[in-house]
Amino acid sequence: MKKQNVRTISLIVCTFTYLLVGAAVFDALESETEKRRWEALQAVEDMIIRKYNISQEDFKVMETVVLKSEPHKAGQQWKFTGAFYYATTVLTTIGYGHSTPTTRGGKLFTMCYAIVGIPLGLVMFQSIGERVNRLSSYVIKAVRTSLRCKRTVASEVDLICVVTTLSSLTIAGGAAAFSRFEGWSYFDSVYYCFITLTTIGFGDMVALQKDNALNRKPEYVMFALIFILFGLAIVAASLNLLVLRFVTMNTEDERRDEAQAMQALQVAVKLEGDVITSNGSILSGYEGHDGQSLNGTNTSSMCSCRCICLNGGNRHKKQQYKMRRSPTHIRHLLPEVVPMQDLNYDTQSMHTIGALNGSGIMSGSHMGIGLDVVDDTGTRSPIKPQPHPQKLLKRNVSLLSFRI
């Protein structure tokens, strides 16, 4: 099984295991508190109904009024300032839920607006994160150069440490500001900043929802919007490095597999075209490797149109000869299969060839021009063939190999 598949299965198992562990921990931390709060609220409800003699129906109406009027306590949410704040939460996928459209046109426009705005926002934050990472690498290189360190190039670990530190400082500074303006505790402010910048956006704590701050405190509105956009860019840079670190592991494995496949293809030897063997037979469409044919027979004493000659006398020693012509297919060049004994070359000439070439290989690039004898050193000695009254070969062949 490939490493990519193993990693994917491992990530799925780890994710579901993480979810199960998280569910167990949240159950242990929040379940009892939820039960006690529900019991306390139910006791207060029963007390109010008995004290003021209110029916259950009237009490439900009071609950509805209280719940529906809660968002209006923060002031008008759909003026330009509040609408811009809402558009920011949509584009950044925070989605506090503090204000939601009630009209059909507003809901339809929200869907269309999100389809275009969310990809645009993600690309923008990723681009800003890349610029932040590049700036961080330049700063690290400059500092190391000034300190005369041996290694000045910033690694991925260095960039992760830098952007993580920037993200922590951004959350800590924003928490201090929100704790002052909103009256929250510092821990609750850190919680709000973290939930906001990670785009979780529960909506249990939302800034700019007190004292009609959206309309009365424009400087505070500007600070909140800048904090959200800048903080998201910093956090996006940090998450971008962390996610890409794991994603590139898959890519590296895929590239390694491709490189191994390319090496295997380069090692393989492929012969294509028609082949003339030593006994005069023709193999059409031969494809082999290391002198082995498709049916397992040894074809070391054959010649191919790809200009590869293998020495039949010495199977462990292979020689390559460059021919003057190397057509792709040579079947159409042979009018018939010519047996070896029908060529009737002069015996003295053949002995002379055998004396010059101990391997017994005679090659000719063109029967009408002459034959070349190739010795063990690879040099060619032209020998004029003896004339023969019967010319059996009517066409030129590009390569002819004999075994003596």
Side-chain angles (χ1 to χ4, degrees):
M1 185 179 292
K2 292 185 177 181
K3 292 182 179 180
Q4 297 92 321
N5 298 333
V6 174
R7 184 179 293 112
T8 301
I9 296 174
S10 302
L11 287 173
I12 293 173
V13 173
C14 291
T15 302
F16 277 98
T17 303
Y18 195 72
L19 290 174
L20 293 175
V21 172
V25 172
F26 286 127
D27 185 8
L29 294 176
E30 298 293 337
S31 180
E32 290 298 328
T33 303
E34 180 189 23
K35 183 179 179 181
R36 290 196 299 267
R37 291 184 64 183
W38 168 251
E39 291 175 353
L41 290 173
Q42 193 66 34
V44 173
E45 179 181 345
D46 295 338
M47 182 189 67
I48 292 175
I49 291 175
R50 288 195 306 267
K51 182 177 181 180
Y52 297 100
N53 195 16
I54 302 174
S55 63
Q56 292 288 341
E57 291 77 9
D58 294 338
F59 189 81
K60 295 297 181 182
V61 172
M62 292 176 59
E63 283 184 340
T64 303
V65 171
V66 172
L67 292 175
K68 295 296 183 180
S69 62
E70 181 65 24
H72 297 280
K73 294 181 180 179
Q76 291 183 333
Q77 297 289 328
W78 292 106
K79 290 295 184 180
F80 182 80
T81 306
F84 189 85
Y85 189 48
Y86 169 78
T88 303
T89 60
V90 171
L91 186 141
T92 56
T93 69
I94 296 174
Y96 288 128
H98 65 289
S99 61
T100 56
T102 56
T103 62
R104 183 172 297 180
K107 294 177 181 179
L108 179 61
F109 182 75
T110 297
M111 292 187 289
C112 297
Y113 185 79
I115 290 174
V116 179
I118 291 175
L120 180 62
L122 292 177
V123 172
M124 181 195 69
F125 289 127
Q126 184 179 4
S127 180
I128 296 175
E130 291 177 356
R131 296 302 94 194
V132 171
N133 293 333
R134 182 63 61 87
L135 179 61
S136 301
S137 64
Y138 285 152
V139 172
I140 293 173
K141 184 177 180 180
V143 171
R144 288 183 175 180
T145 303
S146 63
L147 296 177
R148 297 181 180 179
C149 298
K150 294 182 179 180
R151 183 180 179 182
T152 60
V153 180
S155 62
E156 290 185 357
V157 178
D158 298 332
L159 293 177
I160 290 174
C161 293
V162 170
V163 295
T164 302
T165 303
L166 290 176
S167 300
S168 301
L169 293 176
T170 302
I171 292 175
F178 287 113
S179 176
R180 177 182 177 183
F181 286 106
E182 296 290 340
W184 298 332
S185 65
Y186 186 77
F187 180 80
D188 289 339
S189 300
V190 171
Y191 168 76
Y192 164 76
C193 293
F194 181 83
I195 296 299
T196 297
L197 298 184
T198 54
T199 69
I200 298 174
F202 287 130
D204 53 343
M205 300 179 68
V206 183
L208 303 173
Q209 299 299 301
K210 291 182 178 179
D211 302 328
N212 198 13
L214 286 171
N215 299 317
R216 295 181 179 179
K217 300 178 180 179
E219 67 281 357
Y220 181 40
V221 175
M222 187 65 65
F223 167 79
L225 294 175
I226 292 175
F227 169 79
I228 292 175
L229 296 176
F230 178 76
L232 284 174
I234 298 298
V235 173
S238 178
L239 295 179
N240 190 24
L241 289 175
L242 293 174
V243 172
L244 287 179
R245 178 57 184 169
F246 290 101
V247 171
T248 50
M249 295 174 65
N250 247 355
T251 307
E252 290 175 358
D253 291 338
E254 292 177 357
R255 290 178 179 175
R256 190 180 301 111
D257 294 341
E258 292 178 358
Q260 293 176 356
M262 292 298 296
Q263 290 178 358
L265 290 176
Q266 292 176 357
V267 171
V269 178
K270 186 176 182 181
L271 301 178
E272 296 179 352
D274 295 339
V275 176
I276 304 177
T277 62
S278 60
N279 58 2
S281 61
I282 297 178
L283 300 179
S284 179
Y286 175 82
E287 293 184 3
H289 180 68
D290 292 341
Q292 299 295 327
S293 61
L294 295 176
N295 56 3
T297 60
N298 190 354
T299 59
S300 59
S301 60
M302 69 180 181
C303 291
S304 171
C305 61
R306 291 298 183 185
C307 304
I308 297 178
C309 291
L310 302 179
N311 189 355
N314 187 4
R315 297 182 180 180
H316 300 286
K317 185 177 180 181
K318 301 179 181 180
Q319 298 178 352
Q320 295 183 352
Y321 302 91
K322 296 182 180 179
M323 309 306 298
R324 299 175 186 174
R325 293 179 61 189
S326 58
T328 305
H329 299 286
I330 60 175
R331 178 180 291 274
H332 65 279
L333 299 177
L334 296 178
E336 58 183 2
V337 177
V338 183
M340 299 297 298
Q341 62 270 17
D342 291 341
L343 293 176
N344 292 329
Y345 282 94
D346 184 68
T347 306
Q348 184 178 359
S349 299
M350 300 301 292
H351 284 295
T352 304
I353 295 172
L356 292 176
N357 186 6
S359 61
I361 295 180
M362 179 177 66
S363 61
S365 60
H366 199 288
M367 292 299 294
I369 297 176
L371 298 176
D372 294 337
V373 176
V374 183
D375 57 6
D376 294 334
T377 61
T379 60
R380 294 177 176 271
S381 299
I383 295 179
K384 186 176 182 180
Q386 297 296 326
H388 195 274
Q390 296 178 356
K391 294 184 179 180
L392 299 177
L393 297 179
K394 298 180 180 180
R395 299 183 181 180
N396 297 330
V397 293
S398 33
L399 188 60
L400 194 61
S401 176
F402 302 99
R403 175 179 292 181
I404 305 302

